[in-house]
Amino acid sequence: MPKGKAKRDSLNGITIEDYKIISYSRDTTYLDTTLTIQKEYKYNYLRRDDFELMPFSNIGQTYNYLGVDVERATMYPELGAKAKHFNYWEVEDIKYYNVATPMTDILFKTTLEQGQLLDAMLTFNTSRHLNFSIGYKGHRSLGKYNSNQIQSGNFTTTTNYQSKNARYSLRAHIAAQDIKSQENGGLTDKVAQFESGDSDFTDRPKVDVLFDDADNVVLGKRYYLDHTYKLIRKNRDSSYVEKTSLSLGHTFGYETKYYQFMQSAGDSYFGDVILSPVNDKANLKTTYNQVSLEFYNRTLGRLQGNVNMFHYNYFFNSVFYSEEGQEIQSQLNGTELALGGEYEKRIGGFELIGSFKYNLSGDLSGNIFDASAAYSLNERNRLRFHVHSSSRMPNFNFLLYQSEYLNYNWQNTDTFKKERVNSLELNLDSDFFGNISAKYTNLDNYAYFSLGPNPEVVEGSEQANIKPFQEDTGISYLKLKYAKEFRLGKFALNNTLMYQTVSQESNVFNVPQLVTRNTLYFSSDVFKKAMYLQTGVTLKYFTKYNMNGYNPVLGEFFVQETEELGGFPLLDFFINARIQQTRIFLKAEHFNSSFSGYNYYAAPNYPYRDFVIRFGLVWNFFS
């Protein structure tokens, strides 16, 4: 809710600002029950703005990339199967709460055939010092095409505690998540059955797909604890404003996760099969511990030093021997040890934040460094500069993989190098000029999946030879982004424009040159201000480019240079309303699909969705 808009309860003095939401990085916001155009952009399966993503036909299936942020949140490799992780909540995605009274947040939205999306969260406290939350996001969507059902479940529970004397604080969470997808491999005859617009095939179950017997699953469980104790704590004079403190902290995380691909019989589309049915399963168990010592002084700022230990065990169930006698081991395990530090200082409108971690032992990680400087010129203008540098090995599925498909077995632990990422970003957030950002990124040893240079593709086995590769030469990537809203009375035009250019020797890092989203909408109070109404039309468009292909065996996108896709408009019409703390959403998605040409794809052979009307609501209520 904007400043000055919080409504105070005359009986107990509680405002909406007393319902605090705390991020992983300890930034604190409060519950926002307003209805803005940004709420329209975030009202989707991911509950975040998907401007830089291109959804597949079914809700929750996966997303192709229209823009890329290659900065790493951690210095350690991940399991892989990144195309299946868009709805997987990492440690950095979990929110903690500090509320005055119990509060509930419920999102409901229809999906595509026989299913719905429900995201419900309840947070409450037993005292002003101890807060809990419990949430579950459940989703199921049959989809319009055959063998394309998607379902997922995300269960989380959190604890946020601070002792009465403010010396000891703790936050913890448990997360159990699964994403299950039927995989149909895309269309078999996209020209005659899809692009022609033949009325016989506008009933999408009549369109032929490659498979009807394939599934993949991501399942993970995580336990996380972060707690600190202030060894020294001095207040300023007799007030409770802290002047100096010395704290000892400990962070613990344990997570088990696996990715599994199953198919009742091998298919030549992926090449020769060793054993049928296909049941590939990659497992990863990780344990993370960090011990830190933090000094805070109101004048000098916050300074922390830490020691980190990361243990990993990535494994399959057997050792693989190729026909040439090459052994592909079943396991990668070890321990990484690193030193780190953090610094933070705010002086008036100036803010300086920096962090680094440096690897002392272990083969996977190298270093990670982040630094940002921000300055608030005034309440309407803020400037921010950010630097990132990191080095680590690619994800585990690049280094080692085993499958019942013969060509999907490899071990690159001795040949792959650490990927290096260096980026500079400048951002201006201005009420007058809009939001302007420029980011320059340099990539070295970029790892990707591809059919390889000049592949010999045999018809019927188009993805038989997909392998991990690493680009020896550097890649330079520039992304410019501009967002600005223009208002005239009750009408507004909200615009987001992104320009991208890539300098590379081989076309392995592909993004569209131009992406734009423009929303013309009307908003007003109606029914004697009992309801706030918002309605309009959104246009999204991106230029043609070599969109990455999707591989269901790996759950990954791969580089392809044979087909340019894009260059089609996506038009949505919406009517949204707010009644007290309830926001109601109604949208006609892609209503131009039947008259602008059937050339809308999210990846080669995978169409975007047809015209559909969906509705739902977000409801907050308090006890």
Side-chain angles (χ1 to χ4, degrees):
M1 185 174 290
K3 292 182 179 180
K5 297 294 185 180
K7 294 183 178 180
R8 183 169 295 277
D9 189 314
S10 60
L11 295 178
N12 53 27
I14 295 174
T15 73
I16 201 70
E17 297 183 14
D18 293 308
Y19 296 86
K20 297 180 176 64
I21 303 171
I22 305 165
S23 71
Y24 167 79
S25 57
R26 302 188 185 277
D27 294 326
T28 301
T29 57
Y30 57 90
L31 182 68
D32 185 357
T33 60
T34 60
L35 178 62
T36 65
I37 193 62
Q38 298 304 320
K39 294 293 182 67
E40 160 66 21
Y41 295 151
K42 294 179 181 180
Y43 185 67
N44 52 47
Y45 174 68
L46 299 177
R47 299 199 72 172
R48 60 184 175 89
D49 192 341
D50 60 0
F51 171 73
E52 296 187 19
L53 299 174
M54 181 62 189
F56 275 40
S57 63
N58 201 3
I59 312 301
Q61 188 173 358
T62 188
Y63 298 78
N64 216 330
Y65 293 97
L66 302 179
V68 183
D69 288 317
V70 293
E71 291 85 356
R72 281 79 174 269
T74 70
M75 62 188 297
Y76 305 111
E78 299 171 332
L79 173 66
K82 295 303 292 181
K84 310 306 300 180
H85 276 74
F86 286 96
N87 188 49
Y88 192 91
W89 297 342
E90 304 292 350
V91 170
E92 297 80 13
D93 300 319
I94 303 298
K95 300 292 192 297
Y96 304 88
Y97 299 88
N98 187 334
V99 295
T101 64
M103 184 268 290
T104 302
D105 179 86
I106 295 177
L107 176 144
F108 169 81
K109 192 172 187 179
T110 57
T111 57
L112 302 181
E113 309 288 340
Q114 300 182 22
Q116 58 277 319
L117 169 63
L118 179 65
D119 187 357
M121 186 278 300
L122 168 66
T123 180
F124 58 94
N125 58 21
T126 58
S127 70
R128 61 181 299 180
H129 302 283
L130 180 60
N131 288 257
F132 297 94
S133 77
I134 184 169
Y136 183 77
K137 180 179 178 181
H139 160 265
R140 181 177 181 270
S141 181
L142 183 63
K144 297 292 186 178
Y145 295 86
N146 290 323
S147 303
N148 196 29
Q149 178 176 283
I150 314 296
Q151 61 185 46
S152 62
N154 304 71
F155 170 81
T156 58
T157 179
T158 73
T159 302
N160 183 31
Y161 171 75
Q162 187 177 65
S163 62
K164 290 182 179 180
N165 61 6
R167 280 188 178 271
Y168 181 73
S169 62
L170 173 150
R171 58 180 183 174
H173 76 255
I174 298 173
Q177 307 175 74
D178 64 272
I179 300 101
K180 302 177 181 178
S181 307
Q182 289 184 345
E183 297 288 351
N184 60 24
L187 310 183
T188 60
D189 190 348
K190 62 182 183 181
V191 176
Q193 296 187 1
F194 180 73
E195 295 182 8
S196 67
D198 191 328
S199 58
D200 290 338
F201 296 104
T202 52
D203 183 14
R204 295 311 185 191
K206 294 181 180 179
V207 176
D208 294 328
V209 293
L210 284 172
F211 319 124
D212 60 6
D213 61 346
D215 302 88
N216 58 26
V217 179
V218 170
L219 188 146
K221 297 178 182 178
R222 181 173 61 245
Y223 306 89
Y224 177 83
L225 170 68
D226 179 8
H227 56 146
T228 61
Y229 182 77
K230 294 183 178 178
L231 304 170
I232 300 173
R233 179 173 181 266
K234 294 183 178 180
N235 296 333
R236 183 183 179 187
D237 301 327
S238 59
S239 69
Y240 290 99
V241 178
E242 195 166 77
K243 184 179 180 181
T244 302
S245 67
L246 181 66
S247 305
L248 180 65
H250 173 236
T251 301
F252 168 80
Y254 175 73
E255 184 169 26
T256 63
K257 185 192 294 188
Y258 70 76
Y259 170 73
Q260 187 175 21
F261 175 78
M262 298 161 286
Q263 195 169 14
S264 60
D267 194 288
S268 61
Y269 187 75
F270 301 115
D272 296 333
V273 68
I274 302 170
L275 185 67
S276 259
V278 177
N279 188 359
D280 303 338
K281 189 175 182 180
N283 303 271
L284 178 62
K285 295 182 179 180
T286 61
T287 304
Y288 178 78
N289 276 283
Q290 174 180 289
V291 177
S292 62
L293 188 65
E294 179 177 298
F295 172 76
Y296 170 78
N297 180 270
R298 195 169 183 267
T299 303
L300 300 177
R302 183 179 69 89
L303 177 65
Q304 182 200 94
N306 53 68
V307 179
N308 309 269
M309 185 176 68
F310 176 77
H311 179 76
Y312 61 92
N313 184 15
Y314 173 74
F315 62 95
F316 296 86
N317 291 329
S318 61
V319 177
F320 175 82
Y321 292 92
S322 69
E323 294 179 353
E324 295 78 20
Q326 179 189 5
E327 177 184 339
I328 295 178
Q329 65 190 73
S330 63
Q331 188 178 43
L332 297 175
N333 65 356
T335 300
E336 307 277 318
L337 185 65
L339 287 177
E342 297 179 9
Y343 179 73
E344 181 178 343
K345 174 61 182 173
R346 292 175 172 85
I347 305 175
F350 181 77
E351 176 185 77
L352 179 65
I353 299 175
S355 67
F356 80 93
K357 284 186 172 65
Y358 180 79
N359 187 49
L360 296 176
S361 66
D363 300 324
L364 297 183
S365 57
N367 58 71
I368 185 169
F369 172 78
D370 283 284
S372 64
Y375 182 66
S376 296
L377 305 175
N378 49 50
E379 291 185 357
R380 296 176 175 270
N381 298 277
R382 179 178 172 84
L383 188 65
R384 180 177 179 267
F385 178 75
H386 180 253
V387 179
H388 172 89
S389 178
S390 62
S391 171
R392 77 172 196 198
M393 293 296 284
N395 288 337
F396 285 107
N397 62 344
F398 284 90
L399 305 178
L400 174 68
Y401 202 77
Q402 288 190 19
S403 172
E404 298 294 354
Y405 283 106
L406 182 62
N407 290 340
Y408 285 71
N409 292 272
W410 53 74
Q411 183 171 345
N412 299 309
T413 49
D414 295 331
T415 57
F416 269 44
K417 303 174 184 177
K418 292 180 181 179
E419 293 182 291
R420 294 193 296 270
V421 178
N422 295 284
S423 68
L424 301 172
E425 182 179 9
L426 181 64
N427 181 275
L428 172 65
D429 191 0
S430 169
D431 288 354
F432 181 78
F433 295 106
N435 185 279
I436 306 169
S437 66
K439 180 187 290 187
Y440 176 79
T441 304
N442 184 265
L443 299 165
D444 289 310
N445 302 323
Y446 175 66
Y448 61 96
F449 290 99
S450 175
L451 291 171
N454 304 315
E456 295 183 5
V457 178
V458 179
E459 186 175 356
S461 61
E462 283 78 1
Q463 294 191 22
N465 297 308
I466 286 181
K467 292 282 193 300
F469 293 89
Q470 198 163 37
E471 181 67 7
D472 293 332
T473 59
I475 299 173
S476 297
Y477 170 43
L478 176 65
K479 178 164 68 172
L480 304 175
K481 197 171 180 180
Y482 176 69
K484 172 65 176 173
E485 181 171 280
F486 302 93
R487 302 192 66 90
L488 180 61
K490 296 181 179 180
F491 289 89
L493 177 63
N494 187 278
N495 307 281
T496 305
L497 179 67
M498 182 169 66
Y499 171 80
Q500 302 173 107
T501 181
V502 181
S503 176
Q504 56 186 335
E505 288 191 10
S506 305
N507 295 323
V508 299
F509 190 93
N510 298 316
V511 291
Q513 188 176 52
L514 184 67
V515 184
T516 183
R517 180 181 63 194
N518 312 92
T519 302
L520 178 63
Y521 68 100
F522 168 86
S523 54
S524 177
D525 290 306
V526 294
F527 304 127
K528 297 182 179 180
K529 297 187 177 182
M531 174 189 291
Y532 182 75
L533 182 69
Q534 192 177 80
T535 181
V537 176
T538 296
L539 164 68
K540 186 172 182 178
Y541 176 86
F542 58 93
T543 52
K544 286 187 176 183
Y545 74 109
N546 292 117
M547 297 182 80
N548 287 338
Y550 172 65
N551 178 265
V553 175
L554 300 172
E556 292 275 8
F557 286 98
F558 65 92
V559 175
Q560 62 86 25
E561 297 185 66
T562 60
E563 193 172 2
E564 282 194 340
L565 299 171
F568 49 81
L570 303 174
L571 286 168
D572 300 334
F573 171 74
F574 63 89
I575 301 176
N576 303 330
R578 176 180 181 268
I579 305 173
Q580 295 182 343
Q581 282 78 44
T582 303
R583 282 86 72 202
I584 303 169
F585 299 84
L586 175 67
K587 181 185 285 188
E589 299 183 18
H590 199 195
F591 66 81
N592 62 306
S593 63
S594 61
F595 58 82
S596 59
Y598 291 93
N599 65 336
Y600 40 89
Y601 289 92
N605 296 331
Y606 285 90
Y608 178 60
R609 65 186 66 120
D610 301 314
F611 166 62
V612 63
I613 296 177
R614 300 171 62 207
F615 66 90
L617 58 85
V618 176
W619 183 24
N620 296 115
F621 56 93
F622 312 89
S623 300

